[in-house]
Amino acid sequence: SLAFALAHARAHGLDRVIVVIPFTSIIEQTAQVYRNTLAPFGDAVLEHHSAFEMTDESKWSGARIGPERLKLAMERWDSRIVVTTAVQFFESLFADRTSRCRKLHNLARSVIVVDEAQTMPLALLQPCVAALKELARNYGSSIVLCTATQPSLIAPPGARADDWRFRRVRELAPDRFAELRRVTVRDIGTQTDTELADLMSGDDQALCIVNQRAHARALFQAIRHLEGARHLSTCMHSVHRTRVLAEIRADLKAKRPCRVIATSLIEAGVDVDFPLVLRASAGLDQIAQAAGRCNREFGQTPEASEVLVFSAAEYGVIPQLRANAEAGAEMLAVYKDDPFAPTALKAYFDLLYAKITDAALDRSGVMGLCADKAADLNFPFETIAQEMRFIDDTMVPVIVAREETMVGEVRKLLDRLPFSPRIGGITRQLARYTVGVPRRVRSQLIAAKLAEIIEEDRFGDQFVVLHNLDLYTHEVGLDWSDITFRAAETMMV
Protein backbone atom coordinates (compact mmCIF):
# COMPACT_ATOMS: atom_id res chain seq x y z
CA SER A 1 0.00 0.00 0.00
CA LEU A 2 2.87 2.39 0.76
CA ALA A 3 4.56 1.56 -2.56
CA PHE A 4 1.32 2.31 -4.40
CA ALA A 5 0.73 5.51 -2.40
CA LEU A 6 4.22 6.87 -3.15
CA ALA A 7 3.95 6.03 -6.86
CA HIS A 8 0.47 7.56 -7.03
CA ALA A 9 1.59 10.72 -5.20
CA ARG A 10 4.51 11.13 -7.60
CA ALA A 11 2.37 10.54 -10.68
CA HIS A 12 -0.26 13.08 -9.64
CA GLY A 13 1.90 15.64 -7.82
CA LEU A 14 0.37 15.02 -4.40
CA ASP A 15 2.08 16.31 -1.26
CA ARG A 16 2.15 13.52 1.31
CA VAL A 17 0.92 10.08 2.34
CA ILE A 18 -1.34 9.69 5.40
CA VAL A 19 -1.59 6.08 6.64
CA VAL A 20 -4.58 5.51 8.93
CA ILE A 21 -4.31 2.44 11.17
CA PRO A 22 -7.13 1.06 13.35
CA PHE A 23 -5.19 0.34 16.53
CA THR A 24 -2.60 2.24 18.55
CA SER A 25 -0.96 -1.10 19.30
CA ILE A 26 0.55 -1.38 15.79
CA ILE A 27 1.35 2.28 15.11
CA GLU A 28 4.93 1.95 16.30
CA GLN A 29 5.50 -1.33 14.42
CA THR A 30 4.18 0.11 11.15
CA ALA A 31 6.10 3.38 11.41
CA GLN A 32 9.34 1.50 12.12
CA VAL A 33 8.83 -0.76 9.09
CA TYR A 34 8.38 2.35 6.94
CA ARG A 35 11.51 3.99 8.39
CA ASN A 36 13.55 0.87 7.72
CA THR A 37 12.15 0.58 4.20
CA LEU A 38 12.78 4.22 3.35
CA ALA A 39 16.25 4.49 4.90
CA PRO A 40 18.09 6.86 4.69
CA PHE A 41 14.89 8.95 4.53
CA GLY A 42 13.35 7.50 7.69
CA ASP A 43 13.05 10.97 9.22
CA ALA A 44 10.28 11.68 6.72
CA VAL A 45 7.98 9.35 8.70
CA LEU A 46 5.93 10.88 11.52
CA GLU A 47 4.00 8.59 13.85
CA HIS A 48 1.20 10.26 15.74
CA HIS A 49 -1.74 9.09 17.81
CA SER A 50 -3.83 10.27 20.74
CA ALA A 51 -1.72 8.97 23.62
CA PHE A 52 -1.28 12.41 25.15
CA GLU A 53 -3.94 15.06 24.73
CA MET A 54 -5.07 17.70 27.17
CA THR A 55 -8.65 17.31 28.42
CA ASP A 56 -9.02 21.04 29.05
CA GLU A 57 -6.83 23.33 26.94
CA SER A 58 -7.58 26.26 29.24
CA LYS A 59 -5.12 24.72 31.71
CA TRP A 60 -2.16 25.85 29.60
CA SER A 61 -0.16 28.44 31.51
CA GLY A 62 -0.42 32.00 30.24
CA ALA A 63 3.20 31.93 29.08
CA ARG A 64 2.45 29.16 26.59
CA ILE A 65 0.54 30.97 23.88
CA GLY A 66 0.35 31.15 20.12
CA PRO A 67 2.46 28.88 17.90
CA GLU A 68 4.59 27.57 20.79
CA ARG A 69 1.52 26.31 22.64
CA LEU A 70 0.28 24.60 19.51
CA LYS A 71 3.63 22.89 18.95
CA LEU A 72 3.44 21.55 22.48
CA ALA A 73 -0.16 20.48 22.11
CA MET A 74 -0.18 18.65 18.79
CA GLU A 75 1.84 17.69 15.76
CA ARG A 76 1.03 19.56 12.53
CA TRP A 77 1.30 16.61 10.15
CA ASP A 78 3.72 18.45 7.89
CA SER A 79 5.92 15.38 7.33
CA ARG A 80 5.85 13.61 3.97
CA ILE A 81 4.56 10.36 5.50
CA VAL A 82 2.25 10.37 8.54
CA VAL A 83 1.19 7.21 10.35
CA THR A 84 -1.79 7.81 12.62
CA THR A 85 -4.78 6.06 14.16
CA ALA A 86 -8.33 5.98 12.87
CA VAL A 87 -9.43 7.62 16.12
CA GLN A 88 -7.01 10.54 15.65
CA PHE A 89 -7.79 10.89 11.94
CA PHE A 90 -11.59 10.79 11.95
CA GLU A 91 -12.13 12.60 15.24
CA SER A 92 -9.85 15.40 14.00
CA LEU A 93 -12.01 15.84 10.89
CA PHE A 94 -15.01 16.58 13.13
CA ALA A 95 -13.13 18.27 15.99
CA ASP A 96 -13.91 21.57 17.70
CA ARG A 97 -10.50 22.00 19.34
CA THR A 98 -7.82 24.23 17.88
CA SER A 99 -5.02 21.73 18.48
CA ARG A 100 -6.75 18.90 16.63
CA CYS A 101 -7.77 21.08 13.69
CA ARG A 102 -4.32 22.60 13.22
CA LYS A 103 -3.20 19.75 10.95
CA LEU A 104 -6.28 19.47 8.74
CA HIS A 105 -4.98 21.64 5.90
CA ASN A 106 -2.26 19.02 5.36
CA LEU A 107 -4.88 16.43 4.39
CA ALA A 108 -5.54 18.28 1.13
CA ARG A 109 -3.72 16.84 -1.90
CA SER A 110 -2.65 13.75 0.04
CA VAL A 111 -2.86 10.02 -0.54
CA ILE A 112 -4.89 8.73 2.42
CA VAL A 113 -4.46 5.01 3.03
CA VAL A 114 -7.16 3.63 5.35
CA ASP A 115 -5.81 0.29 6.55
CA GLU A 116 -8.27 -2.39 7.70
CA ALA A 117 -11.14 -0.27 6.42
CA GLN A 118 -13.69 -2.71 7.82
CA THR A 119 -12.85 -1.53 11.37
CA MET A 120 -14.54 1.86 10.92
CA PRO A 121 -17.20 1.77 13.67
CA LEU A 122 -20.65 0.93 12.35
CA ALA A 123 -22.32 3.61 14.46
CA LEU A 124 -20.22 6.30 12.74
CA LEU A 125 -19.81 4.68 9.32
CA GLN A 126 -21.86 7.22 7.33
CA PRO A 127 -20.02 10.35 8.60
CA CYS A 128 -16.65 8.59 8.20
CA VAL A 129 -17.39 7.72 4.57
CA ALA A 130 -18.84 11.19 3.94
CA ALA A 131 -15.61 12.79 5.21
CA LEU A 132 -13.49 10.59 2.94
CA LYS A 133 -15.72 11.37 -0.05
CA GLU A 134 -15.41 15.10 0.68
CA LEU A 135 -11.60 14.91 0.84
CA ALA A 136 -11.54 13.13 -2.54
CA ARG A 137 -14.15 15.31 -4.22
CA ASN A 138 -13.16 18.81 -3.12
CA TYR A 139 -9.67 18.66 -1.61
CA GLY A 140 -7.69 16.79 -4.25
CA SER A 141 -6.99 13.75 -2.04
CA SER A 142 -6.91 10.12 -3.16
CA ILE A 143 -8.41 7.54 -0.79
CA VAL A 144 -7.10 3.96 -0.70
CA LEU A 145 -9.11 1.41 1.28
CA CYS A 146 -7.02 -1.60 2.31
CA THR A 147 -8.66 -4.74 3.66
CA ALA A 148 -9.00 -8.44 3.01
CA THR A 149 -12.67 -8.14 4.05
CA GLN A 150 -14.02 -5.26 1.99
CA PRO A 151 -17.20 -3.79 3.52
CA SER A 152 -20.12 -2.93 1.24
CA LEU A 153 -19.26 0.73 0.76
CA ILE A 154 -20.05 1.01 -2.97
CA ALA A 155 -23.41 2.47 -3.95
CA PRO A 156 -25.42 -0.02 -6.05
CA PRO A 157 -26.60 0.87 -9.56
CA GLY A 158 -29.61 3.15 -9.43
CA ALA A 159 -28.87 4.40 -5.93
CA ARG A 160 -30.12 7.88 -5.01
CA ALA A 161 -27.79 10.79 -5.65
CA ASP A 162 -27.49 11.44 -1.90
CA ASP A 163 -26.57 7.83 -1.08
CA TRP A 164 -23.81 7.88 1.55
CA ARG A 165 -21.65 5.24 -0.14
CA PHE A 166 -18.79 5.66 -2.62
CA ARG A 167 -19.48 5.83 -6.36
CA ARG A 168 -16.18 6.22 -8.21
CA VAL A 169 -14.20 3.20 -7.05
CA ARG A 170 -11.39 1.29 -8.71
CA GLU A 171 -10.21 -2.17 -7.61
CA LEU A 172 -6.40 -2.16 -7.29
CA ALA A 173 -5.83 -5.86 -6.52
CA PRO A 174 -7.13 -8.78 -8.60
CA ASP A 175 -9.27 -11.47 -6.98
CA ARG A 176 -6.77 -14.09 -5.79
CA PHE A 177 -8.97 -15.59 -3.10
CA ALA A 178 -8.87 -19.20 -4.28
CA GLU A 179 -5.06 -19.44 -4.41
CA LEU A 180 -4.69 -17.73 -1.03
CA ARG A 181 -7.03 -20.05 0.86
CA ARG A 182 -5.05 -21.49 3.76
CA VAL A 183 -7.41 -22.44 6.63
CA THR A 184 -10.48 -24.49 7.49
CA VAL A 185 -13.13 -22.79 9.63
CA ARG A 186 -15.40 -24.67 12.06
CA ASP A 187 -18.02 -23.45 14.53
CA ILE A 188 -17.57 -25.48 17.74
CA GLY A 189 -20.46 -23.95 19.70
CA THR A 190 -20.42 -22.83 23.31
CA GLN A 191 -17.22 -23.45 25.26
CA THR A 192 -16.34 -22.88 28.91
CA ASP A 193 -12.92 -21.54 29.85
CA THR A 194 -12.00 -25.00 31.10
CA GLU A 195 -12.92 -26.54 27.75
CA LEU A 196 -10.95 -23.86 25.90
CA ALA A 197 -7.95 -24.53 28.14
CA ASP A 198 -8.23 -28.25 27.34
CA LEU A 199 -8.31 -27.50 23.60
CA MET A 200 -5.18 -25.38 23.89
CA SER A 201 -3.38 -27.99 25.98
CA GLY A 202 -3.85 -30.46 23.14
CA ASP A 203 -1.71 -28.36 20.77
CA ASP A 204 1.79 -27.12 21.46
CA GLN A 205 1.11 -23.95 19.52
CA ALA A 206 -2.31 -22.28 19.66
CA LEU A 207 -3.78 -18.78 19.71
CA CYS A 208 -7.11 -17.89 21.33
CA ILE A 209 -8.64 -14.46 20.62
CA VAL A 210 -11.44 -13.13 22.81
CA ASN A 211 -13.53 -9.96 22.78
CA GLN A 212 -12.94 -8.59 26.28
CA ARG A 213 -9.81 -7.80 28.26
CA ALA A 214 -11.41 -9.25 31.40
CA HIS A 215 -12.01 -12.53 29.55
CA ALA A 216 -8.41 -12.55 28.31
CA ARG A 217 -7.14 -12.23 31.90
CA ALA A 218 -9.48 -14.94 33.19
CA LEU A 219 -8.67 -17.37 30.38
CA PHE A 220 -4.95 -16.78 30.82
CA GLN A 221 -5.32 -17.83 34.47
CA ALA A 222 -6.85 -21.09 33.21
CA ILE A 223 -3.85 -21.87 30.96
CA ARG A 224 -0.95 -20.21 32.81
CA HIS A 225 0.27 -23.62 34.03
CA LEU A 226 0.76 -24.76 30.40
CA GLU A 227 4.19 -24.48 28.82
CA GLY A 228 4.58 -21.38 26.67
CA ALA A 229 1.46 -19.67 28.08
CA ARG A 230 1.29 -15.93 27.36
CA HIS A 231 -1.19 -13.06 27.49
CA LEU A 232 -1.44 -10.13 25.09
CA SER A 233 -3.81 -7.16 25.37
CA THR A 234 -3.94 -3.38 25.49
CA CYS A 235 -3.64 -3.63 29.29
CA MET A 236 0.07 -3.90 28.49
CA HIS A 237 2.03 -0.89 27.27
CA SER A 238 3.71 -0.90 23.88
CA VAL A 239 7.22 -1.77 25.08
CA HIS A 240 5.82 -4.73 27.02
CA ARG A 241 3.71 -5.95 24.09
CA THR A 242 6.67 -5.64 21.74
CA ARG A 243 8.80 -7.79 24.00
CA VAL A 244 6.08 -10.44 24.39
CA LEU A 245 5.50 -10.53 20.63
CA ALA A 246 9.22 -11.03 20.06
CA GLU A 247 9.16 -13.97 22.47
CA ILE A 248 6.08 -15.41 20.74
CA ARG A 249 7.70 -15.16 17.30
CA ALA A 250 10.90 -16.75 18.60
CA ASP A 251 8.97 -19.68 20.09
CA LEU A 252 6.93 -20.18 16.93
CA LYS A 253 10.03 -20.15 14.76
CA ALA A 254 11.88 -22.59 17.04
CA LYS A 255 8.81 -24.89 17.21
CA ARG A 256 8.68 -24.48 21.00
CA PRO A 257 5.36 -24.61 22.89
CA CYS A 258 3.52 -21.32 22.51
CA ARG A 259 -0.02 -20.82 23.78
CA VAL A 260 -1.35 -17.26 23.61
CA ILE A 261 -4.50 -15.62 24.92
CA ALA A 262 -5.08 -12.27 23.20
CA THR A 263 -7.67 -9.63 22.51
CA SER A 264 -8.46 -8.44 18.99
CA LEU A 265 -5.34 -6.24 18.90
CA ILE A 266 -3.43 -9.22 17.48
CA GLU A 267 -5.73 -9.36 14.44
CA ALA A 268 -4.59 -6.17 12.75
CA GLY A 269 -1.21 -6.41 11.08
CA VAL A 270 0.55 -8.51 13.72
CA ASP A 271 2.75 -10.98 11.88
CA VAL A 272 2.44 -14.32 13.72
CA ASP A 273 1.77 -17.80 12.34
CA PHE A 274 -0.09 -20.39 14.46
CA PRO A 275 -1.29 -23.81 13.30
CA LEU A 276 -4.46 -23.49 15.42
CA VAL A 277 -6.54 -20.36 16.13
CA LEU A 278 -9.63 -20.14 18.34
CA ARG A 279 -11.87 -17.08 17.95
CA ALA A 280 -14.72 -15.93 20.19
CA SER A 281 -17.99 -15.07 18.39
CA ALA A 282 -17.59 -11.96 16.24
CA GLY A 283 -18.36 -10.61 12.81
CA LEU A 284 -17.21 -12.55 9.77
CA ASP A 285 -14.65 -9.82 9.05
CA GLN A 286 -13.04 -10.23 12.47
CA ILE A 287 -13.04 -14.00 12.15
CA ALA A 288 -11.28 -13.59 8.80
CA GLN A 289 -8.70 -11.30 10.41
CA ALA A 290 -8.14 -13.90 13.14
CA ALA A 291 -7.69 -16.51 10.42
CA GLY A 292 -4.88 -14.35 9.07
CA ARG A 293 -2.82 -15.48 12.10
CA CYS A 294 -3.27 -19.15 11.14
CA ASN A 295 -1.02 -20.88 8.58
CA ARG A 296 0.17 -17.41 7.58
CA GLU A 297 3.27 -18.73 5.83
CA PHE A 298 1.43 -21.61 4.07
CA GLY A 299 3.47 -24.16 6.00
CA GLN A 300 0.54 -26.59 6.25
CA THR A 301 -2.43 -27.64 4.18
CA PRO A 302 -5.70 -25.72 4.71
CA GLU A 303 -7.24 -28.89 6.10
CA ALA A 304 -4.57 -29.14 8.83
CA SER A 305 -4.90 -25.44 9.77
CA GLU A 306 -8.06 -24.90 11.77
CA VAL A 307 -9.84 -21.74 12.90
CA LEU A 308 -12.36 -22.74 15.57
CA VAL A 309 -15.15 -20.24 16.29
CA PHE A 310 -16.83 -20.52 19.70
CA SER A 311 -19.34 -18.80 21.95
CA ALA A 312 -17.90 -18.02 25.38
CA ALA A 313 -19.99 -19.58 28.16
CA GLU A 314 -18.77 -17.20 30.87
CA TYR A 315 -18.72 -14.01 28.78
CA GLY A 316 -21.54 -12.86 26.53
CA VAL A 317 -21.00 -10.92 23.34
CA ILE A 318 -20.59 -7.23 24.17
CA PRO A 319 -23.46 -5.03 22.88
CA GLN A 320 -21.26 -3.29 20.31
CA LEU A 321 -20.50 -6.64 18.63
CA ARG A 322 -23.89 -8.35 18.98
CA ALA A 323 -25.21 -7.55 15.48
CA ASN A 324 -21.81 -8.45 13.96
CA ALA A 325 -21.70 -11.78 15.79
CA GLU A 326 -25.27 -12.66 14.81
CA ALA A 327 -24.63 -11.90 11.15
CA GLY A 328 -21.31 -13.76 11.32
CA ALA A 329 -22.98 -16.86 12.76
CA GLU A 330 -25.60 -16.85 9.99
CA MET A 331 -22.96 -16.60 7.30
CA LEU A 332 -20.89 -19.43 8.83
CA ALA A 333 -23.98 -21.61 8.71
CA VAL A 334 -24.73 -20.73 5.06
CA TYR A 335 -21.17 -20.64 3.66
CA LYS A 336 -19.66 -23.55 5.61
CA ASP A 337 -17.17 -24.53 2.93
CA ASP A 338 -16.04 -21.05 1.92
CA PRO A 339 -16.93 -18.42 4.57
CA PHE A 340 -14.25 -15.91 3.44
CA ALA A 341 -15.07 -15.94 -0.26
CA PRO A 342 -15.87 -12.46 -1.68
CA THR A 343 -19.51 -13.46 -2.19
CA ALA A 344 -19.79 -14.57 1.44
CA LEU A 345 -18.21 -11.37 2.76
CA LYS A 346 -20.48 -9.18 0.62
CA ALA A 347 -23.50 -11.14 1.84
CA TYR A 348 -22.27 -10.69 5.42
CA PHE A 349 -21.96 -6.90 5.19
CA ASP A 350 -25.27 -6.57 3.36
CA LEU A 351 -26.94 -8.60 6.12
CA LEU A 352 -25.18 -6.62 8.84
CA TYR A 353 -26.26 -3.26 7.43
CA ALA A 354 -29.81 -4.58 7.00
CA LYS A 355 -29.87 -5.73 10.62
CA ILE A 356 -28.93 -2.37 12.05
CA THR A 357 -30.57 -0.08 9.41
CA ASP A 358 -29.13 3.07 7.85
CA ALA A 359 -30.06 5.19 10.87
CA ALA A 360 -27.80 3.10 13.08
CA LEU A 361 -24.88 3.79 10.73
CA ASP A 362 -25.09 7.41 11.91
CA ARG A 363 -25.98 6.73 15.54
CA SER A 364 -25.90 10.34 16.73
CA GLY A 365 -27.25 12.07 13.65
CA VAL A 366 -23.99 13.82 12.71
CA MET A 367 -24.98 13.88 9.03
CA GLY A 368 -28.23 15.64 9.92
CA LEU A 369 -26.47 18.13 12.19
CA CYS A 370 -24.13 19.03 9.32
CA ALA A 371 -26.86 19.19 6.66
CA ASP A 372 -29.17 21.39 8.76
CA LYS A 373 -26.54 24.11 9.10
CA ALA A 374 -24.90 23.83 5.67
CA ALA A 375 -26.62 26.94 4.31
CA ASP A 376 -25.24 29.41 6.86
CA LEU A 377 -22.23 27.33 8.07
CA ASN A 378 -23.40 27.85 11.67
CA PHE A 379 -22.48 24.31 12.72
CA PRO A 380 -22.83 23.07 16.32
CA PHE A 381 -19.12 22.20 16.43
CA GLU A 382 -18.98 21.10 20.06
CA THR A 383 -21.97 18.78 19.70
CA ILE A 384 -20.64 17.24 16.49
CA ALA A 385 -17.20 16.66 18.06
CA GLN A 386 -18.79 14.93 21.05
CA GLU A 387 -20.96 12.72 18.87
CA MET A 388 -18.00 11.63 16.71
CA ARG A 389 -16.20 9.96 19.61
CA PHE A 390 -14.97 6.56 18.42
CA ILE A 391 -14.81 5.20 21.95
CA ASP A 392 -17.84 5.77 24.18
CA ASP A 393 -16.03 5.31 27.50
CA THR A 394 -13.10 7.50 26.61
CA MET A 395 -9.81 5.93 27.58
CA VAL A 396 -7.03 8.17 28.83
CA PRO A 397 -3.32 7.35 29.19
CA VAL A 398 -1.43 6.41 32.33
CA ILE A 399 2.36 6.13 32.18
CA VAL A 400 3.66 2.86 33.64
CA ALA A 401 7.30 1.98 34.30
CA ARG A 402 7.25 -1.45 35.96
CA GLU A 403 10.78 -2.76 35.46
CA GLU A 404 14.01 -1.11 36.56
CA THR A 405 15.22 -0.31 33.05
CA MET A 406 11.83 1.20 32.20
CA VAL A 407 11.75 3.27 35.39
CA GLY A 408 15.10 4.80 34.43
CA GLU A 409 14.02 5.49 30.85
CA VAL A 410 10.70 7.09 31.85
CA ARG A 411 12.34 9.15 34.60
CA LYS A 412 14.84 10.59 32.12
CA LEU A 413 12.05 11.55 29.74
CA LEU A 414 9.97 13.18 32.48
CA ASP A 415 13.02 15.07 33.76
CA ARG A 416 13.50 16.56 30.28
CA LEU A 417 9.93 17.90 30.04
CA PRO A 418 10.47 21.20 31.91
CA PHE A 419 13.46 22.11 29.75
CA SER A 420 12.24 21.16 26.28
CA PRO A 421 10.77 23.93 24.10
CA ARG A 422 9.22 21.24 21.90
CA ILE A 423 7.96 18.09 23.54
CA GLY A 424 6.75 16.16 20.45
CA GLY A 425 9.69 13.75 20.57
CA ILE A 426 9.35 13.21 24.32
CA THR A 427 5.61 12.52 24.10
CA ARG A 428 6.15 9.94 21.35
CA GLN A 429 8.71 8.13 23.51
CA LEU A 430 6.53 8.32 26.63
CA ALA A 431 3.57 6.98 24.64
CA ARG A 432 5.39 3.65 24.44
CA TYR A 433 4.94 3.27 28.21
CA THR A 434 1.25 4.19 28.45
CA VAL A 435 -1.84 2.08 29.09
CA GLY A 436 -5.32 3.42 28.35
CA VAL A 437 -7.72 3.33 31.30
CA PRO A 438 -11.27 4.71 31.72
CA ARG A 439 -11.23 8.37 32.69
CA ARG A 440 -13.01 7.66 35.99
CA VAL A 441 -10.36 5.09 36.95
CA ARG A 442 -7.54 7.54 36.31
CA SER A 443 -9.36 10.16 38.40
CA GLN A 444 -9.68 7.65 41.25
CA LEU A 445 -5.98 6.81 41.04
CA ILE A 446 -5.04 10.49 41.19
CA ALA A 447 -7.43 11.21 44.07
CA ALA A 448 -6.01 8.28 46.05
CA LYS A 449 -2.46 9.51 45.31
CA LEU A 450 -1.76 6.24 43.50
CA ALA A 451 -0.96 8.25 40.36
CA GLU A 452 0.39 11.76 39.86
CA ILE A 453 -0.14 14.49 37.27
CA ILE A 454 3.22 15.79 36.05
CA GLU A 455 3.68 19.55 35.50
CA GLU A 456 -0.08 20.21 35.52
CA ASP A 457 0.34 23.98 35.31
CA ARG A 458 2.25 23.67 32.03
CA PHE A 459 0.76 20.58 30.40
CA GLY A 460 -2.65 20.10 32.00
CA ASP A 461 -3.49 16.42 32.53
CA GLN A 462 -1.50 15.09 29.58
CA PHE A 463 1.10 13.26 31.68
CA VAL A 464 -0.11 11.02 34.53
CA VAL A 465 2.35 8.57 36.10
CA LEU A 466 1.22 5.47 37.99
CA HIS A 467 2.80 5.06 41.45
CA ASN A 468 1.07 1.85 42.59
CA LEU A 469 3.10 -0.45 40.34
CA ASP A 470 1.68 -3.55 42.04
CA LEU A 471 -1.31 -3.08 39.72
CA TYR A 472 0.92 -3.95 36.76
CA THR A 473 2.38 -7.44 36.28
CA HIS A 474 4.70 -8.90 33.67
CA GLU A 475 2.02 -11.48 32.77
CA VAL A 476 -1.16 -9.47 32.11
CA GLY A 477 -0.18 -5.81 32.39
CA LEU A 478 -2.39 -3.33 34.23
CA ASP A 479 -5.37 -4.57 36.27
CA TRP A 480 -7.42 -1.73 37.76
CA SER A 481 -10.24 -3.88 39.19
CA ASP A 482 -8.92 -3.02 42.68
CA ILE A 483 -6.80 0.12 42.59
CA THR A 484 -5.73 -0.30 46.23
CA PHE A 485 -4.19 -3.74 45.64
CA ARG A 486 -0.68 -4.20 47.02
CA ALA A 487 1.52 -7.25 46.51
CA ALA A 488 2.49 -8.88 49.80
CA GLU A 489 6.22 -8.58 49.13
CA THR A 490 6.00 -4.80 48.67
CA MET A 491 4.39 -4.39 52.12
CA MET A 492 7.20 -6.15 53.99
CA VAL A 493 9.64 -4.03 56.02
Side-chain angles (χ1 to χ4, degrees):
S1 61
L2 180 62
F4 169 81
L6 292 173
H8 184 79
R10 182 177 183 180
H12 297 278
L14 303 183
D15 298 331
R16 61 183 42 80
V17 175
I18 313 286
V19 181
V20 183
I21 291 177
F23 303 117
T24 302
S25 57
I26 56 172
I27 276 272
E28 183 179 323
Q29 168 189 305
T30 304
Q32 191 56 50
V33 169
Y34 288 169
R35 291 190 186 104
N36 294 342
T37 303
L38 297 173
F41 305 107
D43 289 345
V45 180
L46 168 70
E47 93 189 53
H48 177 224
H49 51 80
S50 312
F52 295 109
E53 285 197 356
M54 191 174 295
T55 304
D56 181 3
E57 290 187 15
S58 67
K59 289 183 180 287
W60 284 105
S61 67
R64 299 281 175 183
I65 59 174
E68 186 179 11
R69 185 189 78 168
L70 292 167
K71 287 175 186 174
L72 288 167
M74 187 59 58
E75 301 286 355
R76 292 170 56 106
W77 286 15
D78 52 4
S79 296
R80 291 301 184 186
I81 298 174
V82 178
V83 185
T84 189
T85 59
V87 172
Q88 178 64 243
F89 178 81
F90 286 108
E91 288 189 2
S92 293
L93 285 166
F94 293 87
D96 65 329
R97 290 166 53 183
T98 307
S99 58
R100 275 204 160 184
C101 295
R102 187 71 173 177
K103 57 184 170 288
L104 293 185
H105 64 287
N106 281 327
L107 295 180
R109 297 194 54 75
S110 294
V111 184
I112 299 170
V113 179
V114 183
D115 194 26
E116 305 296 357
Q118 81 285 350
T119 60
M120 286 187 286
L122 286 175
L124 301 174
L125 188 60
Q126 284 194 20
C128 286
V129 171
L132 293 173
K133 289 175 66 176
E134 178 68 9
L135 287 169
R137 183 169 49 224
N138 291 320
Y139 292 85
S141 300
S142 293
I143 313 298
V144 183
L145 303 181
C146 294
T147 174
T149 53
Q150 178 62 54
S152 294
L153 299 180
I154 302 174
R160 290 172 39 182
D162 62 350
D163 191 283
W164 60 275
R165 288 165 290 190
F166 294 106
R167 291 180 179 276
R168 296 177 58 196
V169 177
R170 179 181 300 175
E171 178 64 58
L172 298 179
D175 181 5
R176 300 179 60 194
F177 169 77
E179 63 188 277
L180 294 177
R181 181 175 176 270
R182 58 193 177 193
V183 300
T184 299
V185 183
R186 285 198 295 126
D187 188 336
I188 58 173
T190 301
Q191 301 287 313
T192 65
D193 283 0
T194 302
E195 290 170 327
L196 291 170
D198 289 342
L199 280 170
M200 296 191 75
S201 68
D203 278 85
D204 283 346
Q205 295 185 338
L207 168 65
C208 182
I209 304 173
V210 296
N211 294 320
Q212 301 175 54
R213 289 184 290 191
H215 191 191
R217 286 197 300 270
L219 189 51
F220 174 76
Q221 296 302 323
I223 73 154
R224 64 184 303 172
H225 64 284
L226 298 176
E227 191 176 358
R230 287 189 177 84
H231 167 277
L232 199 64
S233 80
T234 51
C235 290
M236 303 152 71
H237 56 64
S238 173
V239 174
H240 190 176
R241 290 196 303 267
T242 299
R243 186 180 70 245
V244 172
L245 276 169
E247 293 169 356
I248 290 170
R249 291 185 179 112
D251 284 348
L252 291 172
K253 185 175 181 179
K255 306 298 183 184
R256 293 190 292 263
C258 184
R259 300 173 173 98
V260 178
I261 306 297
T263 56
S264 60
L265 72 87
I266 203 169
E267 291 175 346
V270 178
D271 185 9
V272 290
D273 184 0
F274 284 85
L276 172 67
V277 171
L278 295 87
R279 182 58 169 95
S281 297
L284 194 60
D285 53 333
Q286 281 194 278
I287 295 170
Q289 294 296 327
R293 310 317 118 193
C294 183
N295 195 24
R296 190 173 181 84
E297 306 298 333
F298 293 89
Q300 303 183 131
T301 64
E303 292 71 27
S305 309
E306 287 196 308
V307 176
L308 306 180
V309 181
F310 65 91
S311 298
E314 286 93 342
Y315 291 83
V317 178
I318 59 176
Q320 300 95 309
L321 288 180
R322 193 165 295 141
N324 305 62
E326 290 173 355
E330 290 186 44
M331 292 299 100
L332 286 178
V334 173
Y335 294 92
K336 291 182 180 179
D337 297 331
D338 228 358
F340 303 146
T343 51
L345 286 166
K346 184 180 185 308
Y348 161 73
F349 282 108
D350 287 342
L351 175 62
L352 178 60
Y353 297 163
K355 276 180 174 289
I356 63 176
T357 73
D358 269 5
L361 298 176
D362 182 16
R363 172 192 60 197
S364 303
V366 170
M367 300 287 284
L369 289 171
C370 293
D372 291 345
K373 300 296 183 180
D376 59 3
L377 302 182
N378 186 25
F379 298 106
F381 290 105
E382 184 177 5
T383 301
I384 290 172
Q386 290 172 349
E387 300 299 347
M388 275 301 294
R389 290 282 184 185
F390 265 42
I391 305 170
D392 291 331
D393 184 12
T394 304
M395 307 294 276
V396 289
V398 171
I399 301 168
V400 181
R402 184 66 177 82
E403 299 171 17
E404 283 302 317
T405 54
M406 295 177 186
V407 172
E409 174 70 14
V410 169
R411 188 70 264 164
K412 289 177 183 176
L413 292 169
L414 293 175
D415 288 345
R416 286 169 50 195
L417 276 176
F419 309 103
S420 300
R422 300 184 184 182
I423 62 169
I426 296 176
T427 58
R428 285 197 296 275
Q429 292 179 69
L430 282 172
R432 301 170 64 234
Y433 299 95
T434 63
V435 176
V437 302
R439 191 177 299 279
R440 60 174 178 77
V441 171
R442 192 173 77 167
S443 297
Q444 291 168 359
L445 289 167
I446 294 169
K449 299 191 183 305
L450 301 174
E452 176 190 3
I453 302 176
I454 303 299
E455 296 272 346
E456 184 174 11
D457 288 344
R458 295 184 63 201
F459 306 122
D461 60 357
Q462 283 189 98
F463 305 105
V464 176
V465 177
L466 181 71
H467 288 325
N468 183 6
L469 295 176
D470 290 337
L471 299 179
Y472 196 98
T473 69
H474 73 279
E475 290 185 321
V476 298
L478 185 61
D479 182 358
W480 56 83
S481 56
D482 177 8
I483 65 171
T484 62
F485 171 78
R486 290 285 186 180
E489 57 268 24
T490 64
M491 301 182 67
M492 296 175 65
V493 295

